[in-house]
Amino acid sequence: MKHIPATHTDFILEREFAATPEAVFRAWADPEVKRAWSDCHAEHTTAYSLDFRPLGREHHEVAYPDGRVQVIDKVFFDITEPRRIVFAYDIGVDGRRLSVSLVTVEFSPVQRGTRMVYTEQLAYLDGHEDRAQRLRGTEEGLDRLAGVL
């Protein structure tokens, strides 16, 4: 088998929300609210759970009409209410792990509400790469978060 080295990238997204840091933080912590803004494939989701605590997990499964099954598993490492969330997650399709990420989300008060900084560091595995799609999907989720708040 040919060795394909992992590739790495990162991105940072900044948003301001007209809500308190506590309210924005709660939108990450409450399972129903989180699913409402973060689930970009809601019509195909077959399983979802959120255990929002240090070393807790979030699990999301999507069964696409073409038969592919995507699984996203997260582990929360640092939760400092209402300032910071640090988690790692992997994405797999049909049992093949595509990427592993480390994410830091920081919340700070500003005059009009909350400034949120989302920093993601990605390791792509075995030749997979979808940076533009990942960035677009994350931006769309944060747009939905603004709508929920």
Side-chain angles (χ1 to χ4, degrees):
M1 180 189 329
K2 180 182 175 194
H3 172 70
I4 301 172
T7 59
H8 301 87
T9 190
D10 61 15
F11 60 86
I12 299 172
L13 298 173
E14 297 182 26
R15 297 291 175 97
E16 286 195 11
F17 300 106
T20 65
E22 291 80 9
V24 180
F25 187 92
R26 276 192 307 274
W28 286 79
D30 181 289
E32 288 183 34
V33 176
K34 174 85 186 300
R35 185 168 178 195
W37 66 264
S38 69
D39 190 349
C40 59
H41 305 289
E43 68 277 14
H44 304 296
T45 295
T46 57
Y48 180 80
S49 62
L50 174 62
D51 178 14
F52 190 76
R53 61 184 172 88
L55 299 181
R57 297 184 176 270
E58 183 175 8
H59 177 80
H60 185 212
E61 287 184 31
V62 176
Y64 294 103
D66 65 7
R68 292 177 301 131
V69 176
Q70 174 180 288
V71 176
I72 301 171
D73 281 311
K74 296 180 183 174
V75 177
F76 297 96
F77 290 100
D78 181 65
I79 297 175
T80 305
E81 188 175 350
R83 294 186 356 236
R84 181 180 58 243
I85 303 167
V86 179
F87 62 91
Y89 75 98
D90 69 340
I91 296 179
V93 173
D94 295 335
R96 176 181 169 228
R97 183 170 286 121
L98 304 178
S99 66
V100 179
S101 294
L102 175 66
V103 176
T104 304
V105 186
E106 296 177 288
F107 309 91
S108 56
V110 293
Q111 187 172 5
R112 293 184 37 219
T114 300
R115 178 174 177 258
M116 187 189 80
V117 179
Y118 178 103
T119 304
E120 183 163 350
Q121 300 163 292
L122 296 98
Y124 287 114
L125 308 174
D126 300 326
H128 177 77
E129 182 134 353
D130 67 353
R131 186 182 191 281
Q133 182 180 349
R134 184 78 55 95
L135 184 57
R136 184 177 67 250
T138 304
E139 288 175 327
E140 290 171 358
L142 297 181
D143 290 346
R144 289 189 299 272
L145 172 57
V148 167
L149 294 169

